[in-house]
Amino acid sequence: MNKNLKEQVLRSSGVNVLKCMRCGKCSATCPSYDEMEYHPHQFVYMVEKGDIGTLMKSESIYKCLTCFACVERCPRGVEPAKVVEAVRLAAVRQQGGNRLEPTDIPALLDEDLPQQAIVTAMRKYAK
Amino acid sequence: MQVNENFEPVIVAFCCNWCSYAGADLSGTNRLNYPTNVKIIRVPCSCRVNPMFILRAFQKGADGVIICGCHPGDCHYTSGNYFTRRRITLLYSMLDFLGIERNRTRLEWVSAAEGAKFAATMQQFTEDVKALGPNRRLEDLRCRKQ
Amino acid sequence: MQEAMIKRAKELLADGSVDRVIGWKRGEFAYDITPAVFTTAEELDRDFVCDDFTAANVSKYLVKETQKEGKILAFLKPCDTYSFNQLVKEHRIDREKVYVIGIEGGPKLDIEKIKAKGITGILSVKNEDYTLKIETIYGTQTMPFYEAILGKCASCKSKKHVVFDELIGEDGDVLDSNRFEMVEKLENMTAQERFDFWRDQLSKCIRCNACRNVCPACTCENCVFDNPKSGIDNKAPADSFEENMFHIIRAFHVAGRCTDCGECSRVCPQHIPLHLLNRKFIKDINELYGEYQAGADTTSRAPLNTYDKNDCEPSVVHERGVE
Amino acid sequence: MQKISKSRLYELFDAIAAKQSLYIPTDREAGAAEYRKYESGMKLTKELNTVRSAKDFFFPQTENLADFKIEGKTIEVRDIREECEDFVIFGVRACDARSFTILDKVFLCEPVDSFYKNRRDHGTVITMACTRPAETCFCKTFGIDPTVPGGDVSCFDDGESIFFLANTEKGERFVESISSFLEDGDTDRLMEVQTRAREIMDKLPLAKLSTENFGGDKLNEYFNSDKWAELSEACLGCGTCTFVCPTCQCYDIKDFNTGHGIKRFRCWDSCMYSDFTKMAHGNPRLTQLERFRQRFMHKLVYFPANNDGEFGCVGCGRCLAKCPISMNIVKVMKALEAK
Amino acid sequence: MQRIGVFVCHCGTNIAATVDVKAVAEALGHEAGVVIAQDYQYMCSESGQELVKSAIREQKLTGVVICSCSPRMHENTFRKAAASAGLNPYLVEVANIREQCSWIHKDIATATEKAIILGKAAVAKVALNTPLTSMESPVVKRALVIGGGIAGIQTALDIAEAGFDVDIVEKNPTIGGKMAQIDKTFPTLDCAACILTPKMVEASQNERITIHSFSEVEDVKGFVGNFTVKIKKKARFVDETKCTGCGLCTEKCPMKKVPNEFNMGLDNRSAIYIPFAQAVPKVATIDPNYCMMLKTGKCGVCSKVCSAGAIDYKQQDTIIEQQYGAIVVATGFNPIKLDKYDEFAYNQCPDVVTSLELERLMNAAGPNGGTLLRPSDKTHPHTIVFVQCVGSRCDDEKGKPYCSKICCMYTAKHAMLIREKYPDTEVYVFYIDVRTPGKNFDEFYRRAVEQYNVHYIKGMVGKVTPKSDGKIDVQASDLLANEQLHINADMVVLAAAIEPDKTARPLATMLTTQMDTNDFFTEAHPKLRPVESATAGIFLSGACQGPKDIPETVAQGSAAAAKAIGLLCKNSITCNPCTAHSDELMCNGCSSCEKVCPYGAITYIDKEFRMPDRTTKIRRVASVNPAVCQGCGACTVACPSGAMDLSGFSNSQIMAEVDAICK
């Protein structure tokens, strides 16, 4: 367990993972559920356990749409999306590089992609 | 302003018996820490607090005075805290008018259920008074500790 | 007006409507008027005076006077009627024992302001078309009338008599006064400036108690400052007692009851602007709890003896002005 | 007589203040003068006199007498008396200068008041002759000549110079100490000024007021006078007259609990106050009439009875100017005399 | 000369762990007036009290200071001990060095220093204490029960049984409350109506019980033993004394489109109505919002058909005023509104219902006569999803932070009943935790799982989407299987959180009782005085104090009754002697104190005084009725002359404490 990493995630997310009472409503509401290896409630639990390395390696961190449905629905105000974001941030910081180059983006664009997704992608994949 | 790190303010807290004193007890029951600077005086109702007592405390060397009572509408005696609110508002406004630091005085509503709020309020108030430094404007020099 | 007053007083004494008359008695000089009770026509003719120096508010004397047998005629200026009403409201004056004649108010003159101009050896003061002609041992001096009026008259709040049995002269209106100007000015200073201002003023206090003893709201049987049991009794100026206790508590005790008659500042031998403390309370009450004029009636509840569930919190102090 | 040009007066003040505390009457605000410790740049007032009298220098309004330190169940008494430092008061008027001799009679007779004596011994009183008396002045009634003001050193102003005349040994020492500033001067002009001032004194409204109907033997004549009721009727019972009076010398002794001890202090009291001389059994003077009578009987009858005919008033006129209801000793004297 | 005894309690290690109690006793022993200062393990114990008592006797103490737990805890204990040793009980002061010192501080040095200061303040105060004697005040032998649900009914029956008159005030046209709406009860599955309605009848027939239905408490004045209550009887436009409850009017009433609140709005009633067949009192009520006669003046059918002549369109609200010795609050609960939970589509889809609605849907007297049908198309549902903790344990502004306690059990009950009656139905229950503490409760739940094959799934429903084919898509987590489920359901049942009735808050204000942040009434002590409020004479019954099931509610109802009976049994009660008193010599008679007194305890008398000049003077002075004064002290500050003071908390005592703390 990487204590520093856990603290970093907790600090940068501002989330108190201990508030979670494992109802799973976040995952029940998650539109990316099927895409994700680890689901929102698992993010919260794994961060609590300090198992952050696993999450950082998982593609799940890039599957989160940051739609905040989990944040909206969580009865305890745990805000799982912020945890996902924080883990993602930790990964981006450690990998030392962008997951995408700006030049990669045009090739990935399609007409149905909402503008917001492009902006989100820039924010999410760039350092 | 020069802040003395070692300055330990004397803080007098008047708490009504029914809400705030019970709230203070609850913060004790829940082991919620707040500074030892705060010393509580139990009064039946916040409306028992005479402005004389507040000025007396400052005269004798208190650095901050806080009054706690039931939330408006919840007074054990129905209306006591409404009178408190008017009296204390006017008194604090007068002290402000006389150039006394605003943060030396406070009125806070703390219910019997709000142990956490009591502790947090006392913590904050102590810090605020600490930042102001010793009460020099309302003290009686004769009472200063030698 | 003085003649009309003496005439009416004599009539009322003669027909037995009243047994005594309270008014003002002339003194050694032009200005040293003493409130006095008259019982005969001769006394009235000889000593009764009502002129530019009869500023003293005689309402408070009626507390004592109405405890005596018989009825008394009181001549009240508009500002005095507010004090009178407030005392009736607090059951301190027996209204039945007073026959009130409302008389015209000021502006009245402040001898101290004349003397402050360096005018000394004063033998007489005459108002000639709003210029004061002052005869002195050292010759005749003049000064504008309005420069010599009392502070309380300069910020007069009302020319209206809120209570009277009859009037000599006209009744006036409540005025749109500028009385809160100085309070506002102070409010806009920094806390340090305010502190310095008040420390400078209040440290002059010699605790003669003139302000308290003249105040129509201070009619306590035993003042807390004289009562060893109160725990805050104090006889003489002691380190910061006046600054930190006496004047604050006194102002608080009359808050919501003070009619702003201005007598406290008028009588202060040290010229401390004590009325500003009372006016601060009045201004706060007006702003926070709605307009209230103590003494305007005898039935309304004093602002500190009532409340509204939606009253502001004391934190309102933090939200206003400057610190 | 030795004199100093008025243009060099402040130079002299600077020199005195360099050696000891110097107090001069200065304007606090227009029309209100008070004694303040001299600092360079401070100017003498043009007012005839100060609002408060000069008695504070020897008999301050409050004064600590002793400290009691309390720790648990033990009490330790601390003598806090200290030798006073030398000081000079400049510009005292004749009336106030006379008031010191009245106070001396009270405080320096046996048992001597060591607090008062301490200050008196160390204070040098430099008076200033009056040239423009006010309408409220009646010092002449008490045999005071304001043009010859007394004190340790008398000063006279002839318009251009200030003349110094030592009256006491202490005064001589003082004049000696400032001799480098002084020069001999002729007093012709000064005599003129004095004569003019005396003429004005005779024309003052209260010039005719006399003490002939008062004195130690008048107790029975006035004590039960029916005038007191009327005179005291308007009295507010405040202490203004007593606190501005240069001769009122009554005080109370009080304890103040500081939380860690007691400070025993004395403070001026006023016979006008309802709790004046209150004792265990209660108050000997229960009504305002009795208290009012006490003040004037004391000044006009009891004091001369006990002090070789000396009256307890110096005619400074302060109470005439400051009483909130303008009742004063002059009105009392005139009313009592009128019979 | 003061002879004060100081007793410092260790409270085991509760105090002694962070406060050096020996040092406290030592320091306070040096205070002026203190003649004995001791410490002891448990001051409140028998031997601890004996220590105090023997010190009082042997040392001839004039005052006692106990440094211990909060005076709210044991002040009375020590007062009684002092009294038994012959010392006036009001010469005892408690310095709170546990709740307000040892429990909140960690550093022994500073905590000890603070404890000493608190002790010094108590010593300073006790030196100024005066012996006080309690007054007696008579007890009105009548109780008021506010709320006519099962809690109120139980309380009223028990009080009446003990021989005291009792009034029930119920805001609805009938008593019965929530229990009347429930179909079956857990864990026994017996019919709620079958056990409730006999009690309702019993209450109505008991001659000691007066039921004020369709009434509300308007105003409460007074104090324990002597409350004066104004009750508003709302106009029901039917003379209760004449109406026979035949129901003809309700049949003939032409206005029949009024949502039926008894059936949770799932069907309609008429404008004149009797809520349900077993209503007590069985009296019709006209709903003025819908009655054509009252709205337009045209109709009058009910009046025409009523053979008893009970209809009175001109009836007005009336106020009755009554004295009571005790008041029991039984205002109950309501399910929360689910407007803020869009994800459950409660407002969009009629087939998403709350559990209480389901009760009505399944009830034989309900809208479907007991057959479970979908509200939308009246078809039989085959797949039903239950969602637990809807709004419970939810610490945002949408829901309630607490567990509603009853949902797990009634959901199991519902699931079980459905499976039993309609075995072809699939029932899913989504839960976060299943909480079944209680006699036979877990067995009950296990039966639902094991015997009735209810699908309990650990996880929460995230989204409910009504589909165009009338089905409902329920998207949920199965946390144990770690998968996201989609269930094609016919009905969704939401276990909505429960909250105190909205009338409780204004009532608490009238009664001057405390509430917690969730508007549940606060009990005087969470463990030792669970059915009393902190305000003397006010007792708590049922869910107004916290979520409760029926057996608990009934138990508490009886407990509250027992407490009320205990009070009513007394002919008089001892008043708090800490009351205000006015020094006549200083009183100005200005009336300020009277204006701020919430109890009207101050009156004015003209009194003759001997004046200093030996004349007499008549002055108006204040006089406090100590039986009415409750000792708040508002008057003491309103009094400008300081004539008014408060025994037990006098100006000088409080200032002595201030001084001791500040020095």
Side-chain angles (χ1 to χ4, degrees), chain C residues 63-280:
Chain C
V63 174
K64 202 167 60 183
E65 290 298 328
T66 56
Q67 282 164 0
K68 297 177 183 165
E69 292 285 305
K71 194 158 180 168
I72 187 162
L73 162 63
F75 289 108
L76 299 181
K77 304 187 291 293
C79 48
D80 304 344
T81 60
Y82 286 86
S83 308
F84 178 83
N85 243 3
Q86 182 66 23
L87 285 164
V88 170
K89 179 175 173 174
E90 293 176 8
H91 307 275
R92 302 294 287 157
I93 288 179
D94 185 349
R95 177 69 181 89
E96 297 304 307
K97 286 186 171 174
V98 188
Y99 188 82
V100 177
I101 295 186
I103 57 166
E104 235 170 78
K108 300 285 178 185
L109 293 176
D110 184 353
I111 189 65
E112 302 264 317
K113 283 195 175 148
I114 297 174
K115 288 182 176 175
K117 290 275 178 191
I119 299 171
T120 183
I122 297 164
L123 300 172
S124 74
V125 180
K126 283 200 180 63
N127 176 9
E128 288 179 358
D129 201 18
Y130 294 101
T131 298
L132 293 180
K133 202 171 151 210
I134 304 148
E135 298 291 344
T136 79
I137 309 163
Y138 306 104
T140 307
Q141 304 258 16
T142 58
M143 74 180 284
F145 176 85
Y146 280 102
E147 284 181 22
I149 64 170
L150 280 165
K152 69 172 189 171
C153 295
S155 55
C156 177
K157 64 178 179 293
S158 175
K159 293 277 183 196
K160 185 179 173 216
H161 296 84
V162 288
V163 56
F164 58 83
D165 294 307
E166 73 179 75
L167 277 176
I168 292 180
E170 296 285 299
D171 197 11
D173 293 317
V174 173
L175 303 179
D176 198 10
S177 83
N178 57 350
R179 59 183 173 141
F180 297 121
E181 253 173 30
M182 187 59 195
V183 176
E184 261 163 47
K185 203 177 138 195
L186 280 162
E187 283 171 344
N188 290 325
M189 290 180 180
T190 65
Q192 186 66 48
E193 286 167 343
R194 283 197 296 271
F195 180 75
D196 293 342
F197 172 85
W198 282 113
R199 212 29 65 134
D200 186 43
Q201 291 295 343
L202 296 177
S203 62
K204 298 191 298 199
C205 177
I206 58 170
R207 260 314 284 293
C208 65
N209 291 317
C211 50
R212 179 191 74 182
N213 290 15
V214 80
C215 175
C218 277
T219 64
C220 283
E221 295 291 320
N222 191 349
C223 176
V224 288
F225 294 108
D226 292 347
N227 176 10
K229 278 190 269 177
S230 75
I232 53 159
D233 67 310
N234 191 297
K235 201 169 235 176
D239 176 66
S240 62
F241 183 84
E242 281 61 40
E243 295 92 317
N244 295 345
M245 305 278 277
F246 180 78
H247 289 294
I248 305 176
I249 292 174
R250 206 189 85 74
F252 189 83
H253 276 185
V254 301
R257 303 165 55 230
C258 166
T259 65
D260 201 6
C261 76
E263 286 286 270
C264 44
S265 291
R266 181 180 73 84
V267 303
C268 179
Q270 294 285 71
H271 299 164
I272 304 170
L274 294 166
H275 65 282
L276 292 177
L277 296 175
N278 302 325
R279 277 197 190 152
K280 169 63 179 167

